[in-house]
Amino acid sequence: MDNPENKKGITIKINGEEKPLVEDDRSDSVTVAENQTSAAMEPEDESFDWVFPKDEGVFYQPATSTKKKNPTILAFGGKWKNPGNKSGYSLKLPFLAILFAVIIGSSLGLIVLKAITADKEVAAVPVESKIPNEPVKDEKKGAAVPTIQPLTAFLVQGGLFSNEEAAKQIQERVMDKGVPAEVLKQDEKYYLFLGSATNLDESKQLAVFFKSYDVEVFWKELTLKPGSAASSNAAIMNKMITVYQNLTKASSAQLLNPTATTDMKSLQTELEELKTKVKDDAPAGLKAAYSDLSSATDLIKQYQSTKEPSQLLKAQQKLLQFLNSYQI
């Protein structure tokens, strides 16, 4: 009989622990083979196909492991929303944004449309032409209404005063020396003028001539405003202005050059034309202006025979008075 201590022991390691293998009546080789066989068979999974009985209208489709993702829609605000979401939240923001855009766009369109329509309505309003009920008497068809031409005078100035009384006092002193003098009011000031010329250079020469009479002299260009009488008789006054300019040229030229000659015939013709136009019922300013021109013409005519400079100085006085009559 063998000693049990001399028997070779067999140990196995299970989960990291060594355990002795108890021998049975079977041989070691058989036991080991069975353990190996059983160990090899344990990891295998048991699987089998399910077979269902056939039934009309019923079928089975096994679920697939891959799930199909639902499409996503980019909503306003930069977030991706799932259309499968039945809460309706994914459509709320885009719908409101589109609604507000439609409302704002419609409002702007209506405003622009109203503005364009209003402009067209204003443009479409016809301008009514005013037709007089009765034709104007003595009005020729197509004839332009005459306007008075501006009167620019080139004068010899003897002083400038703030009140009329002071100007009148100096006027008397100058006239006592045989020099023509007339006070004209312009812009709330009072000018004392001594003579009239046809241009600014001639007014300077005439100022030198008057200085020999021991008076203060300056030269000035002045544009006069017509008075009510001149404005209401523009055609007649325009003719008077032409006569005034011709008489000024005749008188100043002969004062500066005694040998100068003047065509008196043309002056007389112009004066006769004026006489037929200035009626007895004409305004006082218009009749005074004509009287001044008529007197100046007579004085220049007298100078032609007498050659007395005083006649020309008196003619200059009448021409200065005409400027005052023009402003009445």
Side-chain angles (χ1 to χ4, degrees):
M1 184 173 224
D2 293 335
N3 188 1
E5 293 178 359
N6 293 331
K7 289 181 182 180
K8 186 182 281 188
I10 298 173
T11 61
I12 63 173
K13 188 179 286 188
I14 300 174
N15 295 331
E17 296 181 2
E18 292 183 357
K19 293 184 180 182
L21 180 64
V22 181
E23 295 180 350
D24 54 12
D25 294 340
R26 292 175 294 181
S27 64
D28 294 338
S29 61
V30 173
T31 304
V32 172
E34 288 177 356
N35 291 334
Q36 291 177 352
T37 302
S38 62
M41 291 175 65
E42 283 178 0
E44 292 181 1
D45 294 330
E46 294 181 357
S47 62
F48 58 88
D49 296 330
W50 292 88
V51 178
F52 292 88
K54 294 182 180 180
D55 191 5
E56 294 182 359
V58 179
F59 66 93
Y60 173 77
Q61 182 177 358
T64 58
S65 60
T66 59
K67 294 182 180 180
K68 187 177 180 181
K69 294 183 179 180
N70 291 327
T72 56
I73 298 174
L74 181 61
F76 290 95
K79 294 182 180 180
W80 289 88
K81 300 296 180 180
N82 192 338
N85 183 9
K86 295 182 180 180
S87 63
Y89 176 76
S90 61
L91 295 178
K92 187 176 181 180
L93 288 177
F95 176 76
L96 291 177
I98 294 172
L99 180 61
F100 282 127
V102 171
I103 293 173
I104 294 172
S106 301
S107 301
L108 292 176
L110 288 174
I111 292 171
V112 173
L113 183 61
K114 286 182 178 180
I116 295 174
T117 306
D119 291 341
K120 287 183 178 179
E121 289 176 357
V122 172
V125 175
V127 179
E128 296 181 3
S129 57
K130 294 182 179 180
I131 302 174
N133 296 328
E134 295 180 3
V136 180
K137 293 180 180 179
D138 300 331
E139 183 177 359
K140 295 181 180 179
K141 247 183 186 180
V145 177
T147 57
I148 190 167
Q149 65 184 21
L151 176 54
T152 301
F154 303 93
L155 305 167
V156 178
Q157 180 179 325
L160 176 61
F161 307 91
S162 59
N163 61 82
E164 188 176 11
E165 185 179 354
K168 291 288 186 182
Q169 290 177 0
I170 302 300
Q171 179 187 14
E172 291 178 4
R173 295 178 188 177
V174 172
M175 292 183 72
D176 288 343
K177 296 179 181 181
V179 178
E182 186 71 14
V183 177
L184 270 70
K185 184 180 179 181
Q186 292 289 312
D187 299 327
E188 302 303 323
K189 294 180 181 179
Y190 296 89
Y191 290 86
L192 180 64
F193 291 117
L194 310 181
S196 179
T198 56
N199 52 62
L200 197 58
D201 289 337
E202 192 175 77
S203 67
K204 293 177 183 179
Q205 297 176 28
L206 198 59
V208 173
F209 173 80
F210 285 127
K211 193 171 179 63
S212 63
Y213 287 84
D214 192 22
V215 292
E216 293 185 2
V217 291
F218 308 92
W219 47 88
K220 185 177 181 63
E221 178 180 348
L222 184 66
T223 300
L224 301 174
K225 297 179 181 179
S228 59
S231 300
S232 58
N233 297 274
I236 298 175
M237 187 55 68
N238 286 337
K239 185 65 176 176
M240 286 187 178
I241 290 173
T242 302
V243 174
Y244 160 80
Q245 292 170 343
N246 291 335
L247 291 173
T248 297
K249 182 179 180 180
S251 60
S252 61
Q254 291 182 98
L255 277 173
L256 298 174
N257 183 12
T259 60
T261 57
T262 303
D263 185 7
M264 294 303 302
K265 196 177 219 181
S266 61
L267 289 174
Q268 289 286 351
T269 303
E270 290 175 348
L271 200 62
E272 291 295 328
E273 291 178 0
L274 279 175
K275 188 177 181 180
T276 60
K277 294 179 180 179
V278 179
K279 308 295 183 181
D280 293 337
D281 58 348
L286 196 66
K287 289 195 288 186
Y290 171 77
S291 177
D292 294 331
L293 295 177
S294 179
S295 299
T297 303
D298 292 338
L299 290 166
I300 293 173
K301 185 179 179 181
Q302 292 174 15
Y303 173 78
Q304 303 302 315
S305 58
T306 61
K307 298 297 180 181
E308 289 289 335
S310 60
Q311 304 295 328
L312 295 176
L313 292 174
K314 290 177 182 178
Q316 281 278 316
Q317 180 70 44
K318 293 297 181 181
L319 294 175
L320 292 173
Q321 290 176 5
F322 167 79
L323 297 180
N324 252 334
S325 301
Y326 174 81
Q327 296 181 104
I328 297 176

